[in-house]
Amino acid sequence: MILNFEEFPEIWFHMRRQPHPAGQYFYSGDRQMQESIVQQGVDLMLFGMGTVFVFLTILVIATVIMSGLVGRFFPEAEKPAAPVAVAPGQVDARTRAIIKAAIDKHRAG
Amino acid sequence: MILNFEEFPEIWFHMRRQPHPAGQYFYSGDRQMQESIVQQGVDLMLFGMGTVFVFLTILVIATVIMSGLVGRFFPEAEKPAAPVAVAPGQVDARTRAIIKAAIDKHRAG
Amino acid sequence: MILNFEEFPEIWFHMRRQPHPAGQYFYSGDRQMQESIVQQGVDLMLFGMGTVFVFLTILVIATVIMSGLVGRFFPEAEKPAAPVAVAPGQVDARTRAIIKAAIDKHRAG
Amino acid sequence: MDALLTLWRDSGIFHMQSGQFFMILVGVGLLFLAIRKGFEPLLLVPIGFGGILANIPGAGLAMSSVENAIYFAKPAVMAAMAAALGVTYEDPAQLLEAYHAADAAAHVAAVQVATDNNYADGMLYVFYNVAIASGIAPLLIFMGVGAMTDFGPLLANPRTLFLGAAAQFGIFATVLGAVGLSALGVMDFSIKEAAAIGIIGGADGPTAIYVTSMLAPNLLGAIAVAAYSYMALVPLIQPPIMKALTTPEERKIKMVQLRQVSVREKIAFPIVLVVLVALVLPSAAPLLGMFCLGNLMRECGVVERLSDTAQNALINIVTIFLGLSVGSKLAADKFLDPKTLGILILGIVAFCIGTAAGVLMAKLMNKFSKMPINPLIGSAGVSAVPMAARVSNKVGLEANPQNFLLMHAMGPNVAGVIGSAVAAGVMISMVSGM
Amino acid sequence: MDALLTLWRDSGIFHMQSGQFFMILVGVGLLFLAIRKGFEPLLLVPIGFGGILANIPGAGLAMSSVENAIYFAKPAVMAAMAAALGVTYEDPAQLLEAYHAADAAAHVAAVQVATDNNYADGMLYVFYNVAIASGIAPLLIFMGVGAMTDFGPLLANPRTLFLGAAAQFGIFATVLGAVGLSALGVMDFSIKEAAAIGIIGGADGPTAIYVTSMLAPNLLGAIAVAAYSYMALVPLIQPPIMKALTTPEERKIKMVQLRQVSVREKIAFPIVLVVLVALVLPSAAPLLGMFCLGNLMRECGVVERLSDTAQNALINIVTIFLGLSVGSKLAADKFLDPKTLGILILGIVAFCIGTAAGVLMAKLMNKFSKMPINPLIGSAGVSAVPMAARVSNKVGLEANPQNFLLMHAMGPNVAGVIGSAVAAGVMISMVSGM
Amino acid sequence: MDALLTLWRDSGIFHMQSGQFFMILVGVGLLFLAIRKGFEPLLLVPIGFGGILANIPGAGLAMSSVENAIYFAKPAVMAAMAAALGVTYEDPAQLLEAYHAADAAAHVAAVQVATDNNYADGMLYVFYNVAIASGIAPLLIFMGVGAMTDFGPLLANPRTLFLGAAAQFGIFATVLGAVGLSALGVMDFSIKEAAAIGIIGGADGPTAIYVTSMLAPNLLGAIAVAAYSYMALVPLIQPPIMKALTTPEERKIKMVQLRQVSVREKIAFPIVLVVLVALVLPSAAPLLGMFCLGNLMRECGVVERLSDTAQNALINIVTIFLGLSVGSKLAADKFLDPKTLGILILGIVAFCIGTAAGVLMAKLMNKFSKMPINPLIGSAGVSAVPMAARVSNKVGLEANPQNFLLMHAMGPNVAGVIGSAVAAGVMISMVSGM
Ligand code: NA
Ligand code: NA
Ligand code: NA
């Protein structure tokens, strides 16, 4: 390439700083960067959401297997933890007791 | 000045170290420094006490204005905080309750 | 000594690295180091146990003196601390109360 | 008289810039929202107060020793500072720029110059570095949150993890929005800043602070304020979206009662989760690791005193420092920026998209499963624990006064915490490579 | 056998200097005062114990890694240290002097030499740097004190702020006394040291420690011990002065009952105060800012868990470290100095003058106001919360068994805390410019 | 696509080494022992969990910024790093070695290179440095232990201090065993490592961690795991030894009832102890000093809030960080070493010898004293408070169901804590001179 920006710093500087009627379409460098950041955003979305779903799917599978193994090989003789399910009429009173800690405290986060 | 201490370090050293009958009055440099520290102390007192009084006066004014504004625009529907005033006979019991925290705890400071 | 290792680094290097039929007895340097670490261990044991016993002996003496002085010059008018001795039948209940804190907590250490 | 001049030059009014005065009002406004309106007061009280302190002119509480030295701009100090930074001294602003661009060695030299001239780091600057720049405070809070979290509802119905996954779409859609604004020239967000803004959609305070402190610390003030404010506004933001995307019949769906979950499952779950993280997603290890540690301490039953401390003394202490540290980023020169407006707008968009995605995912799952899911619990997948789950319950009760969704919504709710921690890990990992 | 020699050379008796032995006795004496006589035990127990630890010969607990290296004075280390400090090595004392005078770069180099030779900072030295040199510990304690303070009595009668102002005269009069002693050649206090000594008259522990650590850290041990001891002696120091300056009639004055103060006034007050500080007196921002934050957390009613932690776990933890850190300044070479005697004398003078100024101010205010003020509450303006207020109450009861002054005296008492924090800000700001 | 590659290269499975996988299993195993078997759960839960986190491949949680930079081995970074360390770059392993051998100045330069390239210290590495390398965490735990310790039984029968002294023979015999293995070429322990291994026989967790962090930090993981595991196994390890060394008649010896100990004796004891330490054994000052401070706070009765905090909030917080920090030393490259096996074997030998020495000492004392001592309480001298005392009681009850030895055994039990702290001081002092 004949036009070597490195050797013509003043021209380079001028081109970057001066606005131009063709605006953003004129400078391939800038344009590339813009494409690039959008492309990066798309990459982030695709691979990000993909990873989230893949990881949580694996977690679902692992959790089901884990619950099965625990249920089969380590059944609890003693009575289980506080029941999670709730009867309609008792909800307000009970849930306040159950998630009382979480309610005020997770807010701390 | 003819007597340049920089050029006569040994003499300078000697003069500083040797006691002299005229003592503290002889060396204007030392004397100046003494005046200076007293002057600094006086400055500190005048401007220090001045600032304390000015700031607390502003605070008194701001507090009175604030109490007025709160009383006018944000009167409390609910009953006010624990009364601050005390009836003579109840003081010992009541004050112990009110400043209990402060009594043991400010001492931590 | 004629054979100066400093001047014959390659030979020296060779001697250190090559195994030799006579093994550990041949190289006085290595041998010395082995003796040295065993010697260090023996030193540590003798002086270590010595210090432990001396210090704790001094502590026994100091404690006895301290208890004597406190008993003579600062006898407690009020009733003494929780009795340390225990009657056989009450031990289990009482000791659990006395060392409850220590039991769970020193474990933290 | 020099002393008098010093005092006057030190007074606030002499130095006050309009931006600082405005930011003090913003701090007072945050305190009002926190105290009067109940907006996440545990965080917004220290953040708002820290914002006031950070904008006290001349006090330099949020500034490093070097910034304080440059602020006072004594000629001799400036010359030494310029030499340390390897630039020629023109004006303080240029020195400040050189300092922020300096490599570690020049940085150390500049700090030495400031120290030699008796300039010290401001209190809030110290708090910020110890608590946030190190990453420690958000991680400890995450440990405490783990110790307060009951995974029972999630373990009883693991499928709700998908709802927590779907709701993270708000994060990534917002990233796309931010880079879009940059591409259109409306804003000037870098990809790192876009990622940090997106995490507001995770609706999880410590995660947002952790990610932002890594990727775009300059935006921390705005992002933290947006994240906590919108979490407080969840009862206003979510219901219209939930109702718009569901039919009254869907909102009336009754869900089957949750099975009982054994203590041993609860103990095993955090261990399984951390091992999965180790195998699959190391970049999420700090956040999820500390979360799992807290939860294990809660459930294992043999370290109650540690669990109790993690949920109380420790998380409270860390919260005070975290709030003040975030407040230090409300200094006028950092907060009064067009980007802040963009962050506030994008943040609420993130919440809305996340809510919608959760609800739609629940409807999608209903198409493939015979076990019915009330789509209202999908919105709880954004996290905002436990506010979002309560909103699901409340909207459900409006449709059917006998339908209690709270415990069902707790599953996606805590799943959302895991989901946004995973998203945080992915973003930190990917964006560092961009 | 080398090892044996090491052990013997390490033993305490081999190294014990008479000064260290004396200081260990001083530490035991402080413990006696704290435990038996009830002198501010929360501080004096850790201070006294820290003083004992700091004087254990050869353990170097209160010394930096460089000081430890110089203490043991191995020739090779000394040569490297001298090179790092850019001096020629003559004797350890001269190296130590060069180290204390070194700029930051030389300081870093010296630390590197010490590290390379396996010398480490002593435990108390680390505590001192983290807790006090950074300013953090006194500020956190001030936050906790704020969370324990009820401004109700002050808000009910804001005029009592003038009493809190007047009592600060003890501070500045003592500064003048200290510089006077210097001018006369009796002592050799610098203006910074004089200011630090004066702050004893503020009768407020954390303020005194904060100011001293900034202006004269070498005097910290003596000033902190004086401040806390005299605070404990307030019931002995104040009554004679109070009685000498008042007539029995004045002591019998009954004050009108205080009005009720609303919760909202109590919430607004710390915010008003911190905004005023921002506008008028930035140099007092750290102390008063943290004080107001603590008080706001107390009054706002929505962050009780933070307020509770600030008043308990956090302040207790910080108190332990603060006490040990102050104790580290009881090392013999720092404490056994003629200045210590001067500090002890000037400190009690400061308390007496502050008490008198408060009482006289109350009498003056009575001349200009029709709302009567019992001059006995003026003495509470020195702070020493709540001991001084109790003294006012007790002396008042002696004059009139039906006159309960305690709540009236709480106003000037907390005003004195604000007043001495303002004085601290002024002094730090002015003295730095001298 | 670069981003995708980054993500894949960051995934755990890509990087997992068999050693790391094995260590994750070890971590899970420690959690199992702690939770299911009750092995010292307060420590082994965080240690085991920290071990899992430390072995997450690519997360670098237990690595310094420089180690993380070298791990990823980007050519440009490697070149700069080699220049900073003053070596020519051949491969990462050689750089790592140069880094670990570097002096402080090169170390600083390497950290600057890593910082410039955005590599940061891992979370666990930070915890380790703040909590353990500084020595602070074990000392604070020792303070808390002191605040939980009742010296009453010891003061009632000071002779039991000799039992606590004798049981420390396990420490030194094990040192001898370790150097013997080295001399025979079976293992390759240095004298420092031998000393650190010996301290396992002290049966005191914080002492073991403190000594090991000073003398052989590379062995910390194995030594801490051994120390806590064997403390949990005391009820299995000790009884056979105790029975083998005593006759049924000896085991039936009834001891005279302990006298009542006054509060003032209890207050004076920690002061006497610390003064003795100052005079005789400064090298034990940090450990015994903090221990005595805690005990004094407990007994003096005037600082209950400090004592309470030392026993609860503070020790719990420190325990979490200490456990995670120890876990960071379970990284595969540090733990999977033949030395670990040696440590596990030598550690149990240490416990056995200590137990035997305590029992034999009690029998010896019976020969010289008319006040009978049941030799079963000698085994409690190893410390392992209060487990070892309970074992003495239990074995005693088997011999005579009316013979309650628990309180008698508490004397040697706490004496063992003092004894091993003394031994620790001696070893640190002597070994540093070797
Ligand atoms: Na989320
Ligand atoms: Na005061
Ligand atoms: Na022991």
Side-chain angles (χ1 to χ4, degrees):
Chain A
M1 200 205 284
I2 294 170
L3 186 66
N4 186 337
F5 280 167
E6 301 279 314
E7 293 180 4
F8 297 91
E10 276 161 286
I11 289 175
W12 179 80
F13 185 81
H14 184 260
M15 287 174 72
R16 298 276 299 206
R17 286 295 182 281
Q18 288 295 328
H20 185 278
Q24 48 190 318
Y25 300 107
F26 188 83
Y27 298 104
S28 59
D30 269 33
R31 175 79 186 140
Q32 262 186 340
M33 207 198 72
Q34 282 168 11
E35 278 186 354
S36 171
I37 198 174
V38 170
Q39 187 58 47
Q40 286 175 329
V42 172
D43 280 11
L44 203 52
M45 176 182 232
L46 294 179
F47 303 132
M49 277 311 285
T51 306
V52 169
F53 265 104
V54 168
F55 185 83
L56 293 196
T57 304
I58 297 174
L59 184 57
V60 169
I61 298 167
T63 303
V64 170
I65 294 174
M66 179 272 288
S67 288
L69 292 176
V70 168
R72 175 169 303 181
F73 297 107
F74 304 98
E76 280 175 336
E78 69 265 66
K79 64 176 182 293
V84 175
V86 288
Q90 306 169 325
V91 166
D92 255 16
R94 167 178 295 198
T95 51
R96 276 170 54 201
I98 293 176
I99 61 161
K100 189 179 182 311
I103 283 172
D104 292 316
K105 295 179 180 177
H106 181 72
R107 305 281 86 187
Chain B
M1 201 205 284
I2 292 171
L3 185 67
N4 185 339
F5 280 168
E6 301 280 312
E7 293 181 5
F8 297 92
E10 276 160 288
I11 288 175
W12 179 80
F13 186 81
H14 185 260
M15 287 174 71
R16 298 278 299 206
R17 287 293 182 281
Q18 289 294 329
H20 184 278
Q24 49 189 319
Y25 300 107
F26 187 83
Y27 297 105
S28 60
D30 268 33
R31 175 78 185 140
Q32 260 187 341
M33 208 198 73
Q34 282 168 11
E35 277 185 357
S36 171
I37 198 173
V38 169
Q39 186 59 45
Q40 286 175 330
V42 171
D43 280 8
L44 203 53
M45 178 183 229
L46 293 179
F47 303 131
M49 276 313 283
T51 305
V52 169
F53 264 105
V54 168
F55 185 84
L56 292 195
T57 303
I58 297 174
L59 184 58
V60 168
I61 297 168
T63 302
V64 169
I65 294 172
M66 180 273 288
S67 287
L69 291 177
V70 168
R72 175 168 304 182
F73 298 108
F74 305 97
E76 279 175 338
E78 70 264 65
K79 62 176 184 292
V84 175
V86 288
Q90 304 168 327
V91 167
D92 255 16
R94 169 178 294 200
T95 51
R96 273 171 55 202
I98 294 178
I99 59 159
K100 187 179 185 313
I103 284 172
D104 291 315
K105 296 180 180 179
H106 182 72
R107 308 278 86 190
Chain C
M1 200 205 283
I2 292 171
L3 186 66
N4 185 340
F5 281 167
E6 301 280 313
E7 293 181 6
F8 297 93
E10 277 161 285
I11 289 175
W12 179 78
F13 185 81
H14 185 260
M15 287 175 72
R16 298 277 298 207
R17 286 295 181 281
Q18 290 294 330
H20 185 280
Q24 50 190 315
Y25 300 105
F26 188 82
Y27 297 106
S28 61
D30 269 33
R31 176 77 186 142
Q32 260 187 340
M33 207 199 71
Q34 283 168 11
E35 278 186 355
S36 172
I37 198 173
V38 170
Q39 187 59 44
Q40 285 174 330
V42 171
D43 279 8
L44 203 52
M45 177 181 231
L46 294 179
F47 303 131
M49 278 310 286
T51 307
V52 170
F53 265 105
V54 168
F55 185 84
L56 293 195
T57 303
I58 296 174
L59 184 58
V60 169
I61 297 167
T63 303
V64 170
I65 294 173
M66 179 273 289
S67 288
L69 292 177
V70 169
R72 174 168 304 180
F73 297 108
F74 305 98
E76 280 175 335
E78 69 264 68
K79 64 177 182 292
V84 175
V86 287
Q90 306 168 323
V91 166
D92 255 18
R94 168 178 295 200
T95 53
R96 275 170 55 202
I98 294 177
I99 62 160
K100 188 179 185 311
I103 283 172
D104 292 317
K105 293 176 181 178
H106 182 74
R107 306 281 86 190
Chain D
M1 285 310 288
D2 278 356
L4 242 198
L5 278 175
T6 301
L7 196 62
W8 165 245
R9 278 200 306 267
D10 281 7
S11 93
I13 298 168
F14 177 81
H15 281 287
M16 181 72 75
Q17 297 154 1
S18 58
Q20 291 175 317
F21 188 73
F22 179 76
M23 287 309 298
I24 289 178
L25 293 183
V26 169
V28 172
L30 288 175
L31 292 177
F32 178 80
L33 289 177
I35 296 171
R36 191 72 183 274
K37 300 294 179 192
F39 273 35
E40 301 282 344
L42 289 173
L43 263 294
L44 286 188
V45 165
I47 289 177
F49 207 93
I52 296 174
L53 294 181
N55 286 286
I56 296 182
L61 292 178
M63 283 151 67
S64 70
S65 59
V66 174
E67 288 169 326
N68 275 319
I70 294 173
Y71 178 83
F72 288 104
K74 292 188 187 163
V77 179
M78 291 297 93
M81 192 66 76
L85 292 169
V87 295
T88 52
Y89 173 52
E90 287 155 27
D91 60 88
Q94 162 259 12
L95 263 192
L96 208 55
E97 204 178 319
Y99 166 63
H100 289 303
D103 66 9
H107 192 101
V108 168
V111 170
Q112 289 179 345
V113 170
T115 306
D116 286 341
N117 290 281
N118 292 315
Y119 293 100
D121 291 335
M123 175 185 73
L124 297 178
Y125 180 86
V126 173
F127 288 174
Y128 179 83
N129 276 286
V130 172
I132 296 189
S134 68
I136 302 294
L139 294 175
L140 291 180
I141 288 188
F142 229 55
M143 181 175 74
V145 170
M148 293 172 198
T149 298
D150 178 7
F151 279 120
L154 180 69
L155 291 172
N157 191 4
R159 288 185 313 150
T160 55
L161 277 164
F162 291 120
L163 300 175
Q168 309 316 316
F169 187 68
I171 294 176
F172 295 102
T174 305
V175 173
L176 215 58
V179 300
L181 288 180
S182 288
L184 294 173
V186 180
M187 289 279 166
D188 183 27
F189 294 125
S190 70
I191 184 71
K192 290 188 177 184
E193 290 174 335
I197 295 168
I199 203 72
I200 297 174
D204 197 74
T207 303
I209 292 172
Y210 184 77
V211 171
T212 307
S213 70
M214 297 231 158
L215 298 181
N218 53 316
L219 303 184
L220 183 62
I223 289 179
V225 166
Y228 283 105
S229 299
Y230 295 146
M231 281 164 68
L233 290 173
V234 150
L236 297 180
I237 296 171
Q238 289 196 322
I241 299 166
M242 294 158 73
K243 289 175 187 166
L245 295 176
T246 52
T247 64
E249 284 66 41
E250 287 173 331
R251 294 203 287 276
K252 284 175 186 155
I253 294 176
K254 276 209 164 187
M255 295 183 65
V256 295
Q257 197 172 312
L258 293 173
R259 73 171 177 90
Q260 290 187 331
V261 175
S262 76
V263 170
R264 287 173 187 177
E265 283 173 82
K266 290 186 177 181
I267 296 175
F269 181 73
I271 300 176
V272 167
L273 178 51
V274 77
V275 170
L276 275 188
V277 166
L279 297 179
V280 181
L281 198 70
S283 53
L287 278 171
L288 283 177
M290 293 305 272
F291 190 66
C292 290
L293 173 58
N295 192 250
L296 181 64
M297 294 198 303
R298 169 201 179 86
E299 301 293 355
C300 73
V302 289
V303 293
E304 262 145 43
R305 51 186 294 161
L306 300 188
S307 170
D308 177 64
T309 295
Q311 291 177 50
N312 291 291
L314 184 53
I315 201 172
N316 292 344
I317 291 171
V318 174
T319 299
I320 294 173
F321 289 112
L322 184 82
L324 287 172
S325 303
V326 170
S328 77
K329 293 293 181 184
L330 295 184
D333 56 339
K334 280 159 190 150
F335 193 84
L336 292 179
D337 189 297
K339 288 182 180 178
T340 297
L341 195 66
I343 290 167
L344 293 175
I345 294 169
L346 287 166
I348 198 154
V349 169
F351 266 69
C352 295
I353 296 178
T355 302
V359 173
L360 294 174
M361 183 68 184
K363 292 176 71 165
L364 182 70
M365 285 171 70
N366 267 342
K367 295 224 196 297
F368 293 95
S369 160
K370 54 184 177 288
M371 206 171 138
I373 292 180
N374 187 316
L376 292 177
I377 71 169
S379 63
V382 297
S383 2
V385 182
M387 192 77 85
R390 289 168 151 190
V391 169
S392 297
N393 189 53
K394 183 161 162 286
V395 178
L397 285 176
E398 288 172 12
N400 174 358
Q402 298 302 314
N403 198 3
F404 295 89
L405 293 173
L406 188 60
M407 292 318 292
H408 296 287
M410 288 305 290
N413 210 339
V414 298
V417 176
I418 299 174
S420 46
V422 171
V426 175
M427 296 215 296
I428 291 172
S429 173
M430 283 185 73
V431 167
S432 305
M434 284 178 173
Chain E
M1 285 309 289
D2 277 355
L4 242 196
L5 277 175
T6 302
L7 197 62
W8 164 242
R9 278 200 305 266
D10 282 7
S11 92
I13 298 167
F14 177 79
H15 282 287
M16 182 72 77
Q17 297 153 359
S18 58
Q20 291 174 319
F21 188 74
F22 179 75
M23 285 311 297
I24 289 178
L25 293 183
V26 169
V28 172
L30 288 174
L31 293 176
F32 177 80
L33 289 178
I35 297 171
R36 192 71 185 273
K37 300 293 179 192
F39 272 36
E40 300 283 342
L42 289 174
L43 263 293
L44 286 188
V45 165
I47 288 176
F49 208 92
I52 296 174
L53 294 181
N55 286 287
I56 295 181
L61 292 179
M63 281 152 69
S64 70
S65 58
V66 174
E67 288 169 326
N68 275 318
I70 294 173
Y71 178 84
F72 288 104
K74 291 186 188 165
V77 179
M78 290 298 93
M81 192 65 77
L85 292 169
V87 296
T88 53
Y89 174 53
E90 287 155 27
D91 61 87
Q94 162 260 13
L95 263 192
L96 207 56
E97 201 178 321
Y99 166 64
H100 289 305
D103 65 11
H107 193 101
V108 168
V111 170
Q112 289 178 345
V113 170
T115 307
D116 287 341
N117 290 283
N118 292 317
Y119 292 100
D121 290 336
M123 176 184 73
L124 297 178
Y125 180 86
V126 173
F127 289 174
Y128 179 83
N129 276 285
V130 172
I132 295 190
S134 68
I136 303 294
L139 293 176
L140 292 179
I141 288 188
F142 229 55
M143 182 174 73
V145 170
M148 292 172 199
T149 298
D150 179 7
F151 279 120
L154 179 68
L155 291 172
N157 191 5
R159 288 185 312 151
T160 55
L161 277 165
F162 291 120
L163 301 175
Q168 308 317 316
F169 187 69
I171 294 176
F172 295 102
T174 306
V175 173
L176 215 58
V179 299
L181 289 180
S182 288
L184 294 174
V186 180
M187 288 280 166
D188 182 27
F189 295 123
S190 70
I191 184 71
K192 291 188 176 185
E193 290 174 336
I197 295 167
I199 204 71
I200 298 173
D204 196 72
T207 302
I209 291 172
Y210 184 79
V211 170
T212 307
S213 70
M214 297 232 157
L215 297 181
N218 54 315
L219 303 184
L220 183 62
I223 289 179
V225 166
Y228 283 104
S229 300
Y230 295 147
M231 280 164 68
L233 289 173
V234 151
L236 297 180
I237 296 172
Q238 289 196 322
I241 299 166
M242 293 158 74
K243 289 176 187 165
L245 295 176
T246 52
T247 64
E249 284 66 38
E250 286 171 331
R251 293 203 288 277
K252 283 175 187 157
I253 294 177
K254 273 210 168 188
M255 294 183 66
V256 295
Q257 197 171 311
L258 291 173
R259 72 171 177 90
Q260 289 187 332
V261 175
S262 77
V263 171
R264 288 175 187 176
E265 284 173 80
K266 289 187 178 179
I267 296 175
F269 181 73
I271 300 178
V272 167
L273 178 51
V274 78
V275 170
L276 275 187
V277 166
L279 297 179
V280 180
L281 199 68
S283 53
L287 278 171
L288 283 177
M290 293 305 272
F291 189 66
C292 290
L293 173 58
N295 192 250
L296 181 64
M297 295 197 304
R298 168 200 179 87
E299 300 294 355
C300 73
V302 289
V303 294
E304 261 145 41
R305 50 187 294 162
L306 299 187
S307 170
D308 177 64
T309 296
Q311 291 177 49
N312 291 289
L314 184 53
I315 202 173
N316 291 345
I317 292 171
V318 173
T319 299
I320 293 172
F321 289 111
L322 184 83
L324 287 172
S325 303
V326 170
S328 77
K329 294 292 181 184
L330 295 183
D333 55 341
K334 281 159 191 148
F335 193 85
L336 293 179
D337 189 295
K339 288 183 180 179
T340 296
L341 195 65
I343 290 167
L344 293 175
I345 294 168
L346 288 166
I348 199 155
V349 169
F351 267 67
C352 295
I353 296 178
T355 301
V359 173
L360 293 174
M361 182 69 185
K363 293 177 71 166
L364 181 70
M365 284 170 72
N366 267 343
K367 295 222 195 297
F368 293 96
S369 160
K370 54 184 175 288
M371 207 171 137
I373 292 179
N374 188 316
L376 291 177
I377 72 169
S379 64
V382 297
S383 2
V385 183
M387 192 76 86
R390 288 169 152 188
V391 168
S392 297
N393 189 54
K394 184 160 162 285
V395 178
L397 286 174
E398 288 172 11
N400 173 358
Q402 296 304 313
N403 197 5
F404 294 89
L405 294 173
L406 188 61
M407 291 317 293
H408 297 285
M410 287 306 289
N413 211 338
V414 297
V417 176
I418 298 175
S420 46
V422 171
V426 174
M427 295 214 297
I428 291 172
S429 172
M430 283 186 73
V431 166
S432 305
M434 282 175 175
Chain F
M1 286 307 290
D2 278 357
L4 242 196
L5 278 174
T6 301
L7 197 63
W8 164 244
R9 279 201 303 265
D10 280 8
S11 93
I13 298 168
F14 178 82
H15 281 288
M16 182 72 76
Q17 296 155 1
S18 57
Q20 291 174 320
F21 188 74
F22 179 76
M23 286 311 296
I24 288 178
L25 294 183
V26 169
V28 173
L30 288 175
L31 292 177
F32 178 81
L33 289 178
I35 296 171
R36 192 72 183 274
K37 300 293 179 193
F39 271 37
E40 300 282 343
L42 289 174
L43 263 293
L44 286 188
V45 166
I47 289 177
F49 207 92
I52 295 175
L53 294 181
N55 286 287
I56 296 181
L61 292 178
M63 282 152 68
S64 71
S65 58
V66 174
E67 288 168 326
N68 274 319
I70 294 173
Y71 178 83
F72 289 103
K74 292 188 187 164
V77 179
M78 291 297 93
M81 193 65 77
L85 293 169
V87 297
T88 53
Y89 174 51
E90 287 156 27
D91 61 88
Q94 162 260 10
L95 264 192
L96 208 56
E97 201 177 320
Y99 167 64
H100 289 304
D103 66 10
H107 193 100
V108 168
V111 170
Q112 289 179 345
V113 170
T115 305
D116 287 342
N117 290 282
N118 293 315
Y119 293 100
D121 291 336
M123 176 185 72
L124 297 178
Y125 180 85
V126 174
F127 289 172
Y128 179 83
N129 275 285
V130 173
I132 295 188
S134 68
I136 302 293
L139 294 177
L140 291 179
I141 289 189
F142 229 56
M143 181 175 72
V145 170
M148 293 173 198
T149 298
D150 178 6
F151 279 120
L154 179 68
L155 291 172
N157 191 4
R159 286 186 313 151
T160 55
L161 278 164
F162 291 121
L163 300 175
Q168 309 316 316
F169 187 70
I171 294 176
F172 296 101
T174 306
V175 173
L176 215 57
V179 300
L181 288 181
S182 288
L184 294 174
V186 180
M187 290 279 165
D188 182 27
F189 295 123
S190 70
I191 185 69
K192 289 187 176 184
E193 291 174 336
I197 295 168
I199 204 72
I200 297 174
D204 196 73
T207 302
I209 292 172
Y210 184 78
V211 170
T212 307
S213 70
M214 297 232 158
L215 298 181
N218 54 315
L219 302 184
L220 183 62
I223 289 178
V225 166
Y228 283 104
S229 299
Y230 294 145
M231 278 163 69
L233 290 173
V234 150
L236 297 180
I237 297 172
Q238 288 196 325
I241 299 166
M242 293 157 74
K243 289 176 187 164
L245 295 176
T246 52
T247 64
E249 285 66 40
E250 287 172 331
R251 294 203 286 277
K252 283 176 188 156
I253 294 177
K254 276 210 167 190
M255 294 182 65
V256 295
Q257 197 173 312
L258 292 173
R259 73 169 176 92
Q260 290 187 331
V261 174
S262 77
V263 172
R264 289 174 185 177
E265 282 175 81
K266 289 186 178 181
I267 296 175
F269 181 72
I271 300 177
V272 167
L273 178 51
V274 77
V275 170
L276 274 188
V277 166
L279 296 179
V280 180
L281 199 68
S283 53
L287 279 171
L288 283 177
M290 292 306 271
F291 189 66
C292 290
L293 172 59
N295 192 250
L296 181 64
M297 294 197 304
R298 168 201 179 86
E299 301 293 356
C300 72
V302 289
V303 293
E304 262 145 42
R305 50 185 296 162
L306 300 187
S307 171
D308 177 64
T309 295
Q311 291 177 51
N312 291 290
L314 184 53
I315 202 173
N316 291 345
I317 291 171
V318 174
T319 299
I320 293 173
F321 289 112
L322 184 83
L324 287 173
S325 303
V326 170
S328 78
K329 293 292 181 186
L330 295 184
D333 56 340
K334 281 160 190 149
F335 192 85
L336 293 178
D337 190 297
K339 288 182 179 177
T340 297
L341 195 65
I343 290 167
L344 293 174
I345 294 169
L346 288 166
I348 200 155
V349 170
F351 266 68
C352 295
I353 296 177
T355 302
V359 173
L360 294 175
M361 183 69 184
K363 293 177 70 166
L364 182 70
M365 284 169 72
N366 267 341
K367 296 226 193 306
F368 294 94
S369 159
K370 54 184 174 289
M371 203 170 138
I373 291 179
N374 187 315
L376 293 178
I377 71 169
S379 63
V382 296
S383 0
V385 182
M387 191 77 86
R390 288 168 151 190
V391 169
S392 296
N393 189 55
K394 184 162 161 286
V395 178
L397 286 175
E398 288 172 12
N400 174 358
Q402 297 303 313
N403 197 4
F404 295 88
L405 295 174
L406 187 61
M407 291 318 293
H408 296 286
M410 288 306 288
N413 211 339
V414 299
V417 177
I418 298 174
S420 45
V422 171
V426 174
M427 295 215 295
I428 291 172
S429 172
M430 282 186 73
V431 167
S432 304
M434 280 175 176

